[in-house]
Amino acid sequence: MTGDAPSGSGTQPDGPDGPDGGAGTGAPVGGTPAGGGRPVVTGLSTTLRTVALPRPWGPDVPANHVIVVELTLSDGRTGRGFSWTPQIGAHAVRALLDHEIREAVIGCEPHPEVVWDRLWRHLREAGGGGLTTIALAGVDLALWDLRCGPGGLVETLGRRRDSVPVYGSGVNLHYSLEELVAQARRWRAAGHPAVKVKVGRDALREDVARVAAVREVIGPDTLLMVDANQRWDLPRARRAIAALSDYDLHWVEEPLPADDVTGQARLRSCVDVPIAVGESAYSIHDFRDLLAAGACDIVQPNVVRVGGITPLLRITELARAFGVPVYPHLLPEISGQLALALPLPCMAEEVEDASFAALGLIDEPYPVSVKAGELRAGDHHGLGLNWRAP
């Protein structure tokens, strides 16, 4: 694991408003705090952590990158969140946080929804999603850490269930058949009620053989999902889903390029297997387009990629209007807590040996626990992330 010293913090000098600096309530972007004696943000610092994956996600993904973000308020309270990327962009995300976002958030009251809207408008010139929303997540999560106060995230949002099922997930397309079967056996031994494997090898017959082998290991009563990670085009997706039809797939995930909304809708209209998408969507507008087109049965927003808890809750309500459930993507320490409070039933995803706890990024007590295929939240305040010192 590697890490570095926190970036600078402290009050920043006032600066000119951007194109949207006067919008919203509270402090103008880069301007004077509003609200008299109410607390405002006085500092933002970041720490970049790069940690090796015990089970690499491929030769090009040997590690994950986490940027821990700490906000300081004028009343002395602090809140911590994080941005995350498994492959590229960590230094660019940190630069946005250390410069444009820090300058814009200083002086703002710590209201997650108001701050998120203001920062999104402020950063819009740099793009409506991707690096900007990944960076925004660090601030938004820190603000929710503060909002929770002495309570936990689940209680703050409103608990709807005490536990959620956890599906075993693996970034395993590069695994040999023997390694994949061994992983499936570990999932079965751990009591997971559902498992997900990668597909999209060059030869379709290899995908069929691998899915067949996993189904044999887990038996007929365990749910089985496959994830193509955008590797297919429409004709190949049709052929692949037909070839895998004997294995009772619970869903097919990201069968086509994420921005091919028309293709996703055409595919969904001609197959019987539910289509899951959304881990590579970055804004509520992306999800609106997918839902309005009838392109999906399940949406899977990643809490960091969409910009934090604030936009994920908005996406959830949008999807709810279409009767589509939300299954948060990866990051079980936060996604699992969210799953306990979402309006429609869902499952949490646990990639083998890739949680923050498994990577040694956080100390006990952990915010969630997984036993016998069920996730429960711990008794903690805020987000419950006890970041280990670098």
Side-chain angles (χ1 to χ4, degrees):
M1 184 191 304
T2 62
D4 58 11
S7 66
S9 182
T11 304
Q12 302 294 309
D14 291 350
D17 292 346
D20 296 295
T25 61
V29 172
T32 303
R38 295 193 295 269
V40 296
V41 177
T42 57
L44 181 156
S45 64
T46 62
T47 305
L48 173 60
R49 310 285 297 277
T50 296
V51 57
L53 291 163
R55 302 180 190 275
W57 292 357
D60 56 339
V61 191
N64 274 195
H65 312 285
V66 176
I67 302 104
V68 180
V69 179
E70 182 170 283
L71 295 181
T72 303
L73 302 186
S74 55
D75 61 7
R77 288 181 294 149
T78 60
R80 290 196 288 181
F82 66 91
S83 298
W84 163 90
T85 174
Q87 192 168 8
I88 61 172
H91 292 283
V93 168
R94 190 184 190 193
L96 278 172
L97 284 159
D98 285 346
H99 299 285
E100 285 80 7
I101 290 177
R102 177 189 287 141
E103 293 170 4
V105 79
I106 296 296
C108 289
E109 294 181 34
H111 190 294
E113 292 87 352
V114 173
V115 170
W116 198 94
D117 288 344
R118 294 170 58 76
L119 291 181
W120 188 81
R121 288 194 299 269
H122 181 65
L123 297 172
R124 193 72 171 85
E125 183 181 351
L131 293 176
T132 51
T133 48
I134 291 171
L136 273 173
V139 171
D140 187 72
L141 288 164
L143 290 171
W144 276 94
D145 191 38
L146 286 161
R147 171 175 280 186
C148 291
L153 179 61
V154 180
E155 283 65 39
T156 301
L157 295 174
R159 181 184 296 273
R160 295 177 186 265
R161 53 196 67 89
D162 291 328
S163 67
V164 290
V166 178
Y167 67 90
S169 184
V171 185
N172 49 27
L173 190 63
H174 59 296
Y175 283 19
S176 68
L177 182 59
E178 292 74 19
E179 290 171 326
L180 180 63
V181 167
Q183 185 175 58
R185 287 176 177 149
R186 291 192 295 273
W187 287 330
R188 183 184 64 184
H192 289 297
V195 304
K196 185 175 75 180
V197 300
K198 301 294 185 183
V199 291
R201 288 210 163 192
D202 291 339
L204 179 55
R205 65 180 180 276
E206 292 186 50
D207 282 338
V208 174
R210 291 163 69 85
V211 171
V214 171
R215 172 55 79 191
E216 183 176 358
V217 168
I218 65 175
D221 297 328
T222 299
L223 302 179
L224 174 59
M225 297 86 78
V226 298
D227 182 357
N229 275 137
Q230 309 180 59
R231 287 183 173 85
W232 294 332
D233 56 23
L234 182 56
R236 185 171 179 82
R238 288 171 172 161
R239 290 195 299 271
I241 292 171
L244 296 169
S245 61
D246 290 340
Y247 304 105
D248 190 22
L249 300 182
H250 190 61
W251 76 58
V252 175
E253 186 171 325
E254 282 202 316
L256 305 180
D259 53 0
D260 185 3
V261 177
T262 300
Q264 305 274 15
R266 290 177 63 192
L267 177 64
R268 180 172 177 256
S269 71
C270 67
V271 299
D272 294 329
V273 181
I275 301 299
V277 298
E279 71 177 75
S280 301
Y282 292 90
S283 74
I284 195 169
H285 307 103
D286 294 338
F287 286 92
R288 176 202 61 193
D289 294 345
L290 288 163
L291 291 161
C296 54
D297 299 280
I298 296 159
V299 291
Q300 302 168 299
N302 180 289
V303 68
V304 169
R305 289 175 178 165
V306 299
I309 293 170
T310 295
L312 189 141
L313 295 177
R314 295 170 178 176
I315 291 163
T316 297
E317 287 305 312
L318 174 66
R320 185 184 189 185
F322 285 86
V324 173
V326 170
Y327 285 59
H329 175 252
L330 295 184
L331 305 171
E333 280 91 356
I334 296 299
S335 293
Q337 295 185 69
L338 291 170
L340 294 170
L342 294 181
L344 298 179
C346 65
M347 292 189 286
E349 179 180 18
E350 184 178 50
V351 173
E352 190 175 28
D353 294 334
S355 67
F356 287 168
L359 296 177
L361 286 166
I362 57 175
D363 285 323
E364 296 185 83
Y366 301 137
V368 300
S369 62
V370 177
K371 295 180 180 178
E374 292 283 320
L375 179 145
R376 296 177 183 272
D379 183 14
H380 57 260
H381 68 272
L383 302 183
L385 297 170
N386 302 306
W387 296 100
R388 184 172 293 175

